[in-house]
Amino acid sequence: MEAKQKKSLRRRLLVIYIFYFLVLAAGFVLTLVPDISSGWAAGSRAGIKDIQMLKNQGVHQQTYFVGAELANDMREMVPVATSHPDIRIEAAYTEAKLLVTTSDGSDPACVARLARMDGCTLLFFLPALLAKCALLILLALTINILRKSVRDEQPLPNRIITYTRTVGFLLIFAEVCLATGAFIHNRTAQILLEGSTLEVATSFPLNYWNLVMAILVLFSAEVFSIGSRLSEEQRFTI
């Protein structure tokens, strides 16, 4: 009877882990794919417009995209027109998405800063993107191992510990890279918006919830490691 209870408990735990990693993978897909597709579409439109300006008017135009979080004291409520004229609706804009267009007559120092921002952003955002793609592959492998373990009632292989630890460290790496790239954008936007009514938040935009998620994944890896060790000790004891 005790063996059946242990088997039932182990199965429930593995099912919980499967759902946990499924939700984690779904969250990455639902946030990563739309961001990549919208960014690619916006970049393509801007590039086509720059080429047309050079071809039709001979103007060397360059378009940059700069995103920045606004400071708390500048999140003013702005009226929004809706189909309900008898109800007053206001919205607070917490983020500024800047479309910056330069040409031959633009400030050379500002253009040089935008070019450096472009290179630094690619330096940090590209590794973060690769890390997230690797995360999806590792999550798929982890879910498949857990599913087979539940189906065949077999102990977890040691490689799942390595996969899970790698997922946790990749989560931290991707978050730090994204936060560093966003910080560069914030500093650049702060200079671009000098003299305007908008104030940019200058704090390092680290998403601590993602770090908590990474810690939970690393905790899961240690649970797998302890469980595997106890299983090995029990087998040798028997």
Side-chain angles (χ1 to χ4, degrees):
M1 187 66 180
E2 186 179 353
K4 289 184 178 179
Q5 289 178 348
K6 288 183 178 179
K7 186 180 294 185
S8 177
L9 177 61
R10 177 177 173 277
R11 183 175 296 178
R12 288 199 300 270
L13 286 173
L14 289 178
V15 169
I16 290 172
Y17 279 126
I18 289 174
F19 278 110
Y20 173 69
F21 285 109
L22 278 174
V23 171
L24 192 62
F28 275 112
V29 171
L30 293 176
T31 56
L32 186 63
V33 174
D35 286 346
I36 293 176
S37 61
S38 61
W40 181 270
S44 298
R45 289 194 299 269
I48 292 173
K49 186 177 179 180
D50 292 345
I51 293 173
Q52 288 177 345
M53 285 293 293
L54 178 61
K55 182 179 179 181
N56 298 333
Q57 302 182 26
V59 177
H60 291 80
Q61 177 178 290
Q62 183 67 45
T63 303
Y64 298 89
F65 296 89
V66 184
E69 184 180 355
L70 299 179
N72 290 331
D73 56 349
M74 296 303 296
R75 295 173 181 178
E76 300 175 356
M77 301 298 290
V78 180
V80 179
T82 68
S83 58
H84 306 283
D86 56 333
I87 300 177
R88 179 177 175 83
I89 299 177
E90 295 181 335
Y93 299 95
T94 61
E95 185 181 2
K97 293 185 177 180
L98 311 179
L99 180 66
V100 185
T101 303
T102 65
S103 62
D104 295 335
S106 299
D107 180 10
C110 186
V111 174
R113 184 177 183 88
L114 286 168
R116 287 196 300 271
M117 179 214 68
D118 225 20
C120 291
T121 299
L122 186 63
L123 183 64
F124 287 102
F125 282 179
L126 187 58
L129 176 61
L130 295 176
K132 288 193 173 186
C133 291
L135 276 171
L136 293 176
I137 297 173
L138 288 173
L139 286 172
L141 292 173
T142 302
I143 292 169
N144 187 52
I145 292 173
L146 291 170
R147 181 185 61 82
K148 287 183 177 180
S149 180
V150 172
R151 184 192 63 189
D152 302 333
E153 298 184 353
Q154 295 293 325
L156 292 172
N158 289 330
R159 67 177 181 275
I160 194 173
I161 303 171
T162 304
Y163 291 166
T164 311
R165 284 175 179 166
T166 306
V167 167
F169 288 123
L170 284 177
L171 277 170
I172 297 174
F173 174 76
E175 180 55 36
V176 171
C177 286
L178 290 175
T180 305
F183 180 74
I184 294 171
H185 271 239
N186 288 345
R187 301 293 293 181
T188 305
Q190 185 181 23
I191 293 175
L192 291 170
L193 293 174
E194 283 180 347
S196 72
T197 58
L198 298 178
E199 183 179 344
V200 177
T202 56
S203 59
F204 194 74
L206 197 63
N207 190 330
Y208 290 98
W209 284 111
N210 287 343
L211 295 182
V212 170
M213 189 185 306
I215 292 172
L216 288 175
V217 172
L218 291 175
F219 175 76
S220 300
E222 295 310 312
V223 171
F224 290 149
S225 178
I226 293 172
S228 177
R229 194 179 305 118
L230 290 176
S231 178
E232 287 291 328
E233 291 177 358
Q234 185 179 16
R235 189 181 66 178
F236 285 120
T237 302
I238 296 174

